Every structure is written in structure tokens, then in C-alpha cells.
Amino acid sequence: MPTLILLMIFGAAAFSFWSAGRAAAERAEVVGRDACRAAGVQWLDQSVHAIGLRVIRRESGWLGFERTFRFDYSIDGEDRHIGRLVLRGDRLVAFSGPVTREPSQLH
């Protein structure tokens, strides 16, 4: 009986971690796509790739995750450049990639 309870707790924690990771990847995808659209460049592969995960302390004092994602974009259709963005929760904290000629608000 205790083994089953521990297995259920472990399963719930694993599902929660996986679900939060997918939500962060979807958020990163939206940010990357919007940045490419605003800069007038082509977003390649229509996806982002998780390249980093680390534990951080949030402003509230609780521990949380900082996830780093990579995406590719092209300026003229023949080149490939790498963009990078960092999310803490669902908040964008760092971005490097295509830039616009005029400042615009990313979602």
C-alpha cells in the first residue's frame, strides 16, 4: 500500500514537471514567432528547442526553474541564424535574435 502511494506521488510530480515544460515551450514558441514576424525575418523549423534548465530563486523566495530555448531564423532565406530566449516561469527575462528597425512590444 505505501509503495502505491509513493508511486502515485512520484507520477503526479513527473506529470507536473512535464506539463510545466510543455507550457514553457509553447510560450517560447509564441515569443520567437512574434519576434521573427516583427523583425520581418523567416522563422525556420516552426519550433523551439530546450537547451538549458536550471533552478533559480524567484522574487517571492520560492525555488523555480529558468528554461533556455533556441530557435532558428533566416534573413534572406539562404542563411541560418540562431536566436535564444530565457524564460522564468512564463516571463521572458533574456532574448537574443532578430531585431526590428523600430521598437515594438513582444507578447
Side-chain angles (χ1 to χ4, degrees):
M1 186 68 162
T3 305
L4 181 59
I5 292 173
L6 290 175
L7 185 62
M8 289 173 53
I9 290 171
F10 177 75
F15 177 76
S16 176
F17 179 76
W18 176 81
S19 180
R22 286 303 318 143
E26 290 172 6
R27 173 79 174 126
E29 188 175 318
V30 169
V31 171
R33 183 180 296 132
D34 287 349
C36 289
R37 185 178 302 127
V41 299
Q42 182 181 5
W43 186 46
L44 301 175
D45 303 330
Q46 283 70 43
S47 65
V48 295
H49 308 282
I51 59 171
L53 174 72
R54 69 182 200 156
V55 177
I56 52 107
R57 187 163 304 275
R58 296 182 182 174
E59 293 81 17
S60 64
W62 290 90
L63 293 178
F65 290 111
E66 179 179 272
R67 291 176 166 88
T68 305
F69 295 92
R70 176 185 145 264
F71 64 96
D72 296 330
Y73 65 94
S74 175
I75 296 172
D76 60 6
E78 294 184 12
D79 57 353
R80 182 176 283 261
H81 300 279
I82 295 174
R84 182 179 156 274
L85 54 97
V86 179
L87 295 176
R88 285 187 185 159
D90 64 344
R91 194 176 55 131
L92 179 68
V93 294
F95 179 83
S96 66
V99 295
T100 61
R101 303 240 185 254
E102 301 171 7
S104 66
Q105 180 69 22
L106 295 178
H107 302 300

